[in-house]
Coordinates of all heavy atoms in Angstrom, one line a residue:
Q24 N 0.8 -1.2 0.0 CA -0.1 0.0 0.0 C 0.9 1.2 0.0 O 0.6 2.2 -0.7 CB -0.9 0.0 1.2 CG -2.0 -1.1 1.2 CD -2.7 -1.2 2.5 OE1 -2.6 -0.3 3.3 NE2 -3.5 -2.3 2.7
R25 N 1.9 1.3 0.8 CA 2.8 2.5 0.9 C 3.5 2.8 -0.4 O 3.6 3.9 -0.8 CB 3.9 2.3 1.9 CG 3.4 2.4 3.3 CD 4.5 2.4 4.3 NE 4.6 1.0 4.7 CZ 5.7 0.3 5.1 NH1 6.7 0.9 5.4 NH2 5.6 -1.0 5.4
E26 N 3.8 1.6 -1.1 CA 4.5 1.8 -2.4 C 3.6 2.5 -3.4 O 4.0 3.4 -4.1 CB 5.0 0.4 -2.9 CG 5.7 0.5 -4.2 CD 6.2 -0.8 -4.7 OE1 5.6 -1.8 -4.3 OE2 7.1 -0.9 -5.5
V27 N 2.3 2.1 -3.5 CA 1.3 2.6 -4.4 C 1.1 4.1 -4.1 O 1.1 5.0 -4.9 CB 0.1 1.9 -4.4 CG1 -1.0 2.6 -5.2 CG2 0.3 0.5 -5.0
V28 N 0.9 4.4 -2.7 CA 0.7 5.8 -2.3 C 1.9 6.7 -2.8 O 1.7 7.8 -3.4 CB 0.4 5.9 -0.8 CG1 0.5 7.3 -0.4 CG2 -0.8 5.2 -0.6
R29 N 3.1 6.2 -2.5 CA 4.3 6.9 -2.9 C 4.4 7.1 -4.3 O 4.7 8.3 -4.8 CB 5.5 6.2 -2.3 CG 6.9 6.9 -2.7 CD 8.1 6.3 -2.0 NE 8.0 6.7 -0.6 CZ 8.2 5.8 0.5 NH1 8.4 4.6 0.3 NH2 8.2 6.3 1.6
M30 N 4.2 6.1 -5.1 CA 4.3 6.2 -6.6 C 3.2 7.2 -7.1 O 3.5 8.0 -8.0 CB 4.1 4.9 -7.3 CG 5.3 3.9 -6.9 SD 5.1 2.3 -7.5 CE 5.7 2.4 -9.2
R31 N 2.1 7.2 -6.6 CA 1.0 8.0 -7.0 C 1.2 9.5 -6.6 O 1.1 10.4 -7.5 CB -0.3 7.6 -6.4 CG -1.6 8.3 -6.9 CD -1.9 8.0 -8.2 NE -3.2 8.7 -8.5 CZ -3.5 9.1 -9.8 NH1 -2.8 8.8 -10.8 NH2 -4.7 9.6 -10.0
L32 N 1.6 9.8 -5.4 CA 1.8 11.1 -4.9 C 3.1 11.7 -5.2 O 3.2 12.9 -5.6 CB 1.5 11.1 -3.4 CG 0.1 10.7 -2.9 CD1 0.0 10.9 -1.4 CD2 -0.9 11.6 -3.6
E33 N 4.1 11.0 -5.0 CA 5.5 11.5 -5.1 C 5.9 11.5 -6.6 O 6.5 12.5 -7.0 CB 6.5 10.6 -4.4 CG 7.9 11.3 -4.3 CD 8.7 10.5 -3.5 OE1 8.4 9.9 -2.4 OE2 10.0 10.3 -3.8
H34 N 5.6 10.5 -7.3 CA 6.0 10.5 -8.8 C 4.9 10.7 -9.7 O 5.1 10.8 -10.9 CB 6.5 9.1 -9.1 CG 7.8 8.7 -8.2 ND1 9.0 9.4 -8.3 CD2 7.9 7.8 -7.2 CE1 9.8 8.9 -7.4 NE2 9.2 8.0 -6.7
N35 N 3.7 11.0 -9.2 CA 2.5 11.4 -10.0 C 2.3 10.4 -11.1 O 1.9 10.7 -12.3 CB 2.7 12.8 -10.5 CG 1.4 13.4 -10.9 OD1 0.4 13.1 -10.3 ND2 1.4 14.3 -11.9
L36 N 2.5 9.1 -10.8 CA 2.2 8.1 -11.8 C 0.7 7.7 -11.9 O 0.0 7.8 -10.9 CB 3.0 6.7 -11.5 CG 4.5 6.8 -11.5 CD1 5.1 5.5 -11.0 CD2 5.1 7.3 -12.8
S37 N 0.3 7.3 -13.1 CA -1.1 6.9 -13.3 C -1.2 5.4 -12.7 O -0.1 4.8 -12.5 CB -1.4 6.8 -14.8 OG -0.7 5.8 -15.5
F38 N -2.4 5.0 -12.5 CA -2.6 3.7 -12.0 C -2.1 2.6 -12.9 O -1.6 1.6 -12.6 CB -4.0 3.4 -11.6 CG -4.3 4.1 -10.2 CD1 -5.1 5.2 -10.2 CD2 -3.7 3.7 -9.0 CE1 -5.3 5.9 -9.0 CE2 -4.0 4.3 -7.8 CZ -4.8 5.4 -7.8
K39 N -2.2 2.9 -14.2 CA -1.7 2.0 -15.2 C -0.2 1.9 -15.2 O 0.4 0.8 -15.2 CB -2.1 2.4 -16.7 CG -1.6 1.6 -17.8 CD -2.0 2.1 -19.1 CE -1.4 1.2 -20.2 NZ -1.6 1.7 -21.5
E40 N 0.5 3.0 -14.9 CA 2.0 3.1 -14.8 C 2.4 2.3 -13.5 O 3.4 1.5 -13.6 CB 2.5 4.4 -14.9 CG 2.3 5.2 -16.1 CD 2.6 6.7 -16.1 OE1 2.2 7.3 -15.1 OE2 3.2 7.1 -17.1
I41 N 1.6 2.5 -12.4 CA 2.0 1.8 -11.2 C 1.9 0.4 -11.4 O 2.7 -0.4 -10.9 CB 1.0 2.4 -10.0 CG1 1.4 3.8 -9.7 CG2 1.2 1.5 -8.8 CD1 0.4 4.5 -8.9
A42 N 0.7 0.0 -12.1 CA 0.5 -1.4 -12.3 C 1.7 -2.1 -13.1 O 2.2 -3.2 -12.7 CB -0.8 -1.7 -13.0
E43 N 2.1 -1.4 -14.1 CA 3.2 -1.9 -14.9 C 4.5 -2.0 -14.1 O 5.3 -2.9 -14.2 CB 3.3 -1.0 -16.1 CG 2.2 -1.2 -17.2 CD 2.3 -0.1 -18.3 OE1 3.1 0.8 -18.3 OE2 1.4 -0.2 -19.2
E44 N 4.7 -0.9 -13.3 CA 6.0 -0.8 -12.6 C 6.0 -1.9 -11.5 O 7.2 -2.4 -11.2 CB 6.1 0.6 -11.9 CG 7.3 1.0 -11.4 CD 8.4 1.3 -12.4 OE1 8.1 1.7 -13.6 OE2 9.6 1.2 -12.1
T45 N 5.0 -2.2 -10.9 CA 4.9 -3.2 -9.8 C 4.6 -4.6 -10.3 O 4.4 -5.5 -9.4 CB 4.0 -2.7 -8.6 OG1 2.7 -2.6 -9.2 CG2 4.5 -1.4 -8.0
D46 N 4.3 -4.7 -11.5 CA 4.0 -6.0 -12.1 C 2.7 -6.7 -11.5 O 2.7 -7.8 -11.2 CB 5.2 -7.0 -12.0 CG 5.1 -8.1 -13.0 OD1 4.4 -7.9 -14.1 OD2 5.6 -9.3 -12.7
V47 N 1.7 -5.8 -11.4 CA 0.3 -6.2 -10.9 C -0.6 -5.7 -11.9 O -0.3 -4.9 -12.7 CB 0.0 -5.8 -9.5 CG1 1.1 -6.4 -8.5 CG2 0.0 -4.3 -9.4
S48 N -1.8 -6.2 -11.8 CA -3.0 -5.7 -12.6 C -3.3 -4.3 -12.1 O -3.1 -3.8 -11.0 CB -4.2 -6.6 -12.6 OG -4.8 -6.5 -11.3
I49 N -4.1 -3.5 -13.0 CA -4.4 -2.2 -12.6 C -5.5 -2.2 -11.5 O -5.5 -1.4 -10.6 CB -4.9 -1.4 -13.9 CG1 -5.1 0.1 -13.6 CG2 -6.3 -2.0 -14.4 CD1 -5.4 1.0 -14.7
N50 N -6.3 -3.3 -11.5 CA -7.3 -3.5 -10.4 C -6.5 -3.7 -9.0 O -7.0 -3.1 -8.0 CB -8.2 -4.6 -10.7 CG -9.2 -4.2 -11.7 OD1 -9.5 -3.0 -11.9 ND2 -9.7 -5.2 -12.4
T51 N -5.4 -4.4 -9.1 CA -4.7 -4.6 -7.8 C -4.1 -3.2 -7.4 O -4.1 -3.0 -6.1 CB -3.6 -5.6 -8.1 OG1 -4.2 -6.9 -8.4 CG2 -2.7 -5.8 -6.8
A52 N -3.5 -2.5 -8.3 CA -3.0 -1.2 -7.9 C -4.1 -0.3 -7.3 O -3.9 0.3 -6.3 CB -2.3 -0.6 -9.1
L53 N -5.2 -0.3 -8.0 CA -6.4 0.5 -7.5 C -6.8 0.1 -6.1 O -7.1 0.8 -5.2 CB -7.5 0.5 -8.5 CG -7.3 1.2 -9.7 CD1 -8.4 0.8 -10.8 CD2 -7.4 2.7 -9.5
G54 N -6.9 -1.2 -5.9 CA -7.3 -1.8 -4.6 C -6.3 -1.5 -3.6 O -6.7 -1.2 -2.4
R55 N -5.0 -1.5 -3.9 CA -4.0 -1.1 -2.8 C -4.1 0.3 -2.4 O -4.0 0.6 -1.2 CB -2.5 -1.5 -3.3 CG -2.4 -2.9 -3.4 CD -1.0 -3.3 -3.9 NE -0.8 -4.7 -4.0 CZ 0.2 -5.3 -4.6 NH1 1.2 -4.6 -5.2 NH2 0.3 -6.6 -4.6
M56 N -4.4 1.2 -3.3 CA -4.7 2.6 -2.9 C -5.9 2.7 -2.1 O -5.9 3.5 -1.1 CB -4.8 3.5 -4.2 CG -5.0 5.0 -3.9 SD -3.7 5.6 -3.0 CE -2.9 6.7 -4.2
R57 N -7.0 2.0 -2.5 CA -8.2 2.0 -1.8 C -8.0 1.6 -0.3 O -8.4 2.3 0.6 CB -9.2 1.1 -2.5 CG -10.5 1.1 -1.7 CD -11.6 0.1 -2.5 NE -12.7 0.0 -1.8 CZ -13.0 -1.0 -0.9 NH1 -12.1 -2.0 -0.7 NH2 -14.2 -1.1 -0.3
Y58 N -7.2 0.5 -0.1 CA -7.0 0.0 1.2 C -6.1 1.0 2.0 O -6.2 1.2 3.2 CB -6.4 -1.4 1.2 CG -7.5 -2.4 1.0 CD1 -7.5 -3.2 -0.2 CD2 -8.6 -2.6 1.9 CE1 -8.5 -4.1 -0.5 CE2 -9.6 -3.5 1.7 CZ -9.6 -4.3 0.6 OH -10.6 -5.2 0.2
A59 N -5.2 1.6 1.4 CA -4.3 2.5 2.0 C -5.1 3.7 2.5 O -5.0 4.2 3.7 CB -3.3 3.1 1.1
L60 N -6.1 4.2 1.7 CA -7.0 5.3 2.2 C -7.9 4.8 3.3 O -8.1 5.6 4.3 CB -7.8 5.8 1.0 CG -6.9 6.5 -0.1 CD1 -7.8 6.8 -1.3 CD2 -6.3 7.8 0.4
I61 N -8.4 3.6 3.2 CA -9.2 3.1 4.3 C -8.5 3.0 5.6 O -9.0 3.5 6.6 CB -9.8 1.7 3.9 CG1 -10.9 1.8 2.8 CG2 -10.4 0.9 5.1 CD1 -11.3 0.6 2.2
N62 N -7.2 2.6 5.5 CA -6.4 2.4 6.7 C -6.1 3.8 7.2 O -5.9 4.0 8.4 CB -5.1 1.6 6.4 CG -5.4 0.1 6.3 OD1 -6.3 -0.4 6.9 ND2 -4.7 -0.5 5.4
L63 N -5.8 4.7 6.3 CA -5.5 6.1 6.9 C -6.6 6.7 7.6 O -6.5 7.2 8.6 CB -5.0 6.9 5.7 CG -4.6 8.4 6.0 CD1 -3.4 8.4 7.0 CD2 -4.2 9.1 4.7
R64 N -7.8 6.5 7.0 CA -9.1 7.0 7.6 C -9.3 6.3 9.0 O -9.6 7.0 10.0 CB -10.3 6.8 6.8 CG -10.3 7.7 5.6 CD -11.6 7.5 4.8 NE -11.6 8.2 3.6 CZ -11.6 7.6 2.4 NH1 -11.6 6.3 2.2 NH2 -11.5 8.4 1.3
R65 N -9.0 5.1 9.0 CA -9.2 4.3 10.3 C -8.2 4.8 11.3 O -8.6 5.1 12.6 CB -9.0 2.8 10.1 CG -9.2 2.1 11.4 CD -8.8 0.6 11.1 NE -7.6 0.3 10.4 CZ -6.4 0.3 10.9 NH1 -6.2 0.6 12.2 NH2 -5.2 0.1 10.2
M66 N -7.0 5.0 11.0 CA -6.0 5.5 11.9 C -6.3 6.9 12.4 O -6.2 7.3 13.6 CB -4.6 5.5 11.3 CG -4.0 4.1 11.2 SD -2.3 4.2 10.6 CE -2.6 4.3 8.8
V67 N -6.8 7.8 11.5 CA -7.2 9.1 11.9 C -8.4 9.1 12.9 O -8.3 9.7 14.0 CB -7.7 9.9 10.7 CG1 -8.4 11.2 11.0 CG2 -6.5 10.3 9.8
E68 N -9.3 8.2 12.7 CA -10.4 8.1 13.6 C -10.0 7.4 15.0 O -10.3 8.1 16.1 CB -11.6 7.3 13.1 CG -12.3 7.9 11.9 CD -13.3 6.9 11.3 OE1 -13.5 5.8 11.7 OE2 -13.8 7.4 10.2
E69 N -9.2 6.4 14.9 CA -8.8 5.8 16.2 C -7.9 6.6 17.0 O -7.9 6.6 18.2 CB -8.0 4.5 15.9 CG -8.9 3.4 15.4 CD -8.1 2.1 14.9 OE1 -6.8 2.2 15.0 OE2 -8.7 1.1 14.5
Q70 N -7.0 7.4 16.4 CA -6.1 8.2 17.1 C -6.6 9.7 17.3 O -5.8 10.5 17.8 CB -4.7 8.2 16.5 CG -4.1 6.8 16.4 CD -2.7 6.7 15.6 OE1 -2.0 7.7 15.5 NE2 -2.4 5.6 15.2
Q71 N -7.7 9.9 16.8 CA -8.4 11.2 16.9 C -7.4 12.3 16.3 O -7.3 13.3 17.0 CB -8.8 11.5 18.4 CG -9.9 10.5 18.9 CD -10.3 10.8 20.2 OE1 -9.6 11.5 21.0 NE2 -11.5 10.4 20.6
L72 N -6.9 12.1 15.2 CA -5.9 12.9 14.6 C -6.7 14.0 13.8 O -7.8 13.7 13.4 CB -5.0 12.2 13.6 CG -4.1 11.1 14.2 CD1 -3.3 10.5 13.1 CD2 -3.1 11.7 15.2
V73 N -6.2 15.1 13.6 CA -6.8 16.1 12.8 C -5.8 16.4 11.7 O -4.6 16.8 12.0 CB -7.0 17.5 13.6 CG1 -7.5 18.6 12.6 CG2 -8.0 17.2 14.8
L74 N -6.2 16.2 10.5 CA -5.3 16.4 9.3 C -5.6 17.7 8.7 O -6.7 18.0 8.5 CB -5.3 15.2 8.4 CG -5.0 13.9 8.8 CD1 -5.2 12.9 7.7 CD2 -3.7 13.8 9.4
T75 N -4.6 18.4 8.3 CA -4.9 19.7 7.6 C -4.2 19.6 6.3 O -3.3 18.8 6.0 CB -4.4 20.9 8.4 OG1 -2.9 20.7 8.5 CG2 -4.9 21.0 9.8
M76 N -4.7 20.4 5.4 CA -4.1 20.4 4.0 C -3.1 21.6 3.8 O -2.6 21.9 2.8 CB -5.2 20.4 2.9 CG -6.0 19.2 3.0 SD -5.1 17.7 2.7 CE -4.7 17.9 1.0
D77 N -2.9 22.4 4.8 CA -2.0 23.5 4.7 C -0.5 23.1 4.9 O 0.0 23.1 6.0 CB -2.4 24.6 5.8 CG -1.7 25.9 5.7 OD1 -0.9 26.0 4.6 OD2 -1.7 26.7 6.5
W78 N 0.0 22.8 3.8 CA 1.4 22.2 3.9 C 2.3 23.3 3.2 O 3.3 23.0 2.6 CB 1.6 20.9 3.2 CG 0.9 19.8 4.0 CD1 0.6 19.8 5.3 CD2 0.5 18.5 3.5 NE1 0.0 18.6 5.7 CE2 -0.1 17.9 4.6 CE3 0.5 17.9 2.3 CZ2 -0.5 16.6 4.4 CZ3 0.0 16.6 2.1 CH2 -0.6 16.0 3.2
T79 N 2.0 24.6 3.3 CA 2.7 25.6 2.8 C 4.1 25.5 3.1 O 4.5 25.4 4.3 CB 2.2 27.0 3.1 OG1 0.7 27.0 2.9 CG2 2.8 28.1 2.4
G80 N 5.0 25.6 2.2 CA 6.5 25.5 2.5 C 7.1 24.2 2.5 O 8.3 24.1 2.6
M81 N 6.2 23.2 2.6 CA 6.8 21.8 2.6 C 6.9 21.4 1.2 O 6.2 21.6 0.3 CB 5.8 20.8 3.3 CG 5.9 21.0 4.8 SD 4.8 19.6 5.6 CE 5.8 18.2 5.5
K82 N 8.1 20.7 0.9 CA 8.3 20.1 -0.4 C 7.4 19.0 -0.6 O 7.1 18.3 0.4 CB 9.8 19.8 -0.5 CG 10.7 20.9 -0.4 CD 12.1 20.5 -0.6 CE 13.0 21.8 -0.5 NZ 14.4 21.4 -0.5
K83 N 7.1 18.7 -1.8 CA 6.2 17.5 -2.1 C 6.7 16.2 -1.4 O 6.0 15.4 -0.9 CB 6.0 17.2 -3.6 CG 5.0 16.3 -4.0 CD 4.7 16.3 -5.5 CE 3.5 15.4 -5.7 NZ 3.2 15.3 -7.2
R84 N 8.0 16.0 -1.5 CA 8.6 14.8 -0.9 C 8.3 14.8 0.6 O 8.1 13.7 1.0 CB 10.1 14.7 -1.2 CG 10.8 13.5 -0.7 CD 12.2 13.4 -1.2 NE 12.4 13.5 -2.6 CZ 12.4 12.4 -3.4 NH1 12.3 11.3 -2.9 NH2 12.5 12.5 -4.7
E85 N 8.4 15.8 1.2 CA 8.1 15.9 2.7 C 6.7 15.6 3.0 O 6.4 14.9 4.0 CB 8.5 17.2 3.3 CG 9.9 17.6 3.3 CD 10.3 19.0 3.6 OE1 9.4 19.9 3.2 OE2 11.3 19.3 4.1
R86 N 5.8 16.1 2.2 CA 4.4 15.8 2.4 C 4.1 14.3 2.2 O 3.4 13.7 2.9 CB 3.5 16.6 1.4 CG 3.5 18.1 1.6 CD 2.5 18.8 0.8 NE 2.5 18.5 -0.6 CZ 3.0 19.3 -1.6 NH1 3.6 20.4 -1.3 NH2 3.0 18.9 -2.9
V87 N 4.7 13.7 1.1 CA 4.5 12.3 0.8 C 5.1 11.5 2.1 O 4.4 10.6 2.6 CB 5.1 11.9 -0.5 CG1 5.1 10.3 -0.6 CG2 4.3 12.5 -1.7
G88 N 6.2 11.9 2.5 CA 6.9 11.2 3.6 C 5.9 11.2 4.9 O 5.8 10.2 5.6
T89 N 5.2 12.3 5.1 CA 4.3 12.5 6.3 C 3.3 11.5 6.1 O 2.8 10.8 7.0 CB 3.9 13.9 6.4 OG1 4.9 14.8 6.6 CG2 3.0 14.0 7.5
I90 N 2.7 11.4 4.8 CA 1.5 10.5 4.7 C 2.0 9.1 4.8 O 1.3 8.3 5.4 CB 0.9 10.8 3.3 CG1 0.2 12.1 3.2 CG2 -0.1 9.7 2.9 CD1 -0.1 12.7 1.9
V91 N 3.0 8.7 4.1 CA 3.6 7.4 4.2 C 3.9 6.9 5.6 O 3.7 5.7 6.0 CB 4.7 7.1 3.2 CG1 5.3 5.8 3.3 CG2 4.3 7.3 1.7
S92 N 4.5 7.8 6.3 CA 4.9 7.4 7.7 C 3.7 7.2 8.6 O 3.6 6.3 9.5 CB 5.8 8.5 8.3 OG 5.2 9.7 8.5
T93 N 2.6 7.9 8.3 CA 1.4 7.8 9.0 C 0.7 6.4 8.6 O 0.3 5.6 9.5 CB 0.4 8.9 8.6 OG1 0.9 10.1 9.0 CG2 -1.0 8.6 9.3
L94 N 0.8 6.0 7.4 CA 0.3 4.6 6.9 C 1.1 3.5 7.6 O 0.6 2.4 7.7 CB 0.4 4.6 5.4 CG -0.6 5.4 4.6 CD1 -0.3 5.3 3.1 CD2 -2.1 4.8 4.9
S95 N 2.4 3.7 7.8 CA 3.2 2.6 8.3 C 3.1 2.4 9.8 O 3.7 1.6 10.5 CB 4.6 2.8 7.9 OG 5.2 3.9 8.4
R96 N 2.3 3.3 10.5 CA 2.2 3.0 12.0 C 1.3 1.8 12.3 O 0.4 1.4 11.6 CB 1.5 4.2 12.6 CG 2.4 5.4 12.7 CD 1.7 6.5 13.3 NE 2.5 7.6 13.2 CZ 2.2 9.0 13.5 NH1 1.0 9.1 13.9 NH2 3.0 9.9 13.4

């Protein structure tokens, strides 16, 4: 799941490109992103986190790192 999120957000790859790069079907790539988002939502609810979209001044790589580190908890 982390790999798909990183490829999508950091490298701005399409799901077709992600599928080809990871040698899975496009449906598998889409499913992994879906489960990553479900898990992220669950963690936000369980830990009562408040996520904001104001990442002014952060580089794209830092934003992706923040999201991916949250997913790996």
Side-chain angles (χ1 to χ4, degrees):
Q24 295 172 10
R25 278 182 276 159
E26 183 180 21
V27 172
V28 171
R29 180 172 282 133
M30 294 173 88
R31 182 74 172 153
L32 297 178
E33 187 174 322
H34 301 291
N35 202 30
L36 296 180
S37 69
F38 286 106
K39 181 180 178 188
E40 292 169 321
I41 293 169
E43 291 170 354
E44 193 74 25
T45 57
D46 198 30
V47 298
S48 73
I49 192 167
N50 286 334
T51 298
L53 288 164
R55 289 178 181 169
M56 179 61 109
R57 178 179 177 268
Y58 283 114
L60 294 173
I61 288 169
N62 287 329
L63 184 57
R64 286 184 190 114
R65 179 184 48 79
M66 286 184 281
V67 165
E68 290 173 8
E69 286 176 359
Q70 298 177 25
Q71 297 179 337
L72 300 174
V73 176
L74 301 180
T75 64
M76 296 302 289
D77 185 13
W78 292 338
T79 307
M81 287 182 78
K82 296 179 181 171
K83 187 172 187 178
R84 183 173 302 270
E85 293 169 329
R86 294 191 308 257
V87 171
T89 301
I90 292 168
V91 171
S92 67
T93 302
L94 286 173
S95 59
R96 289 184 186 167

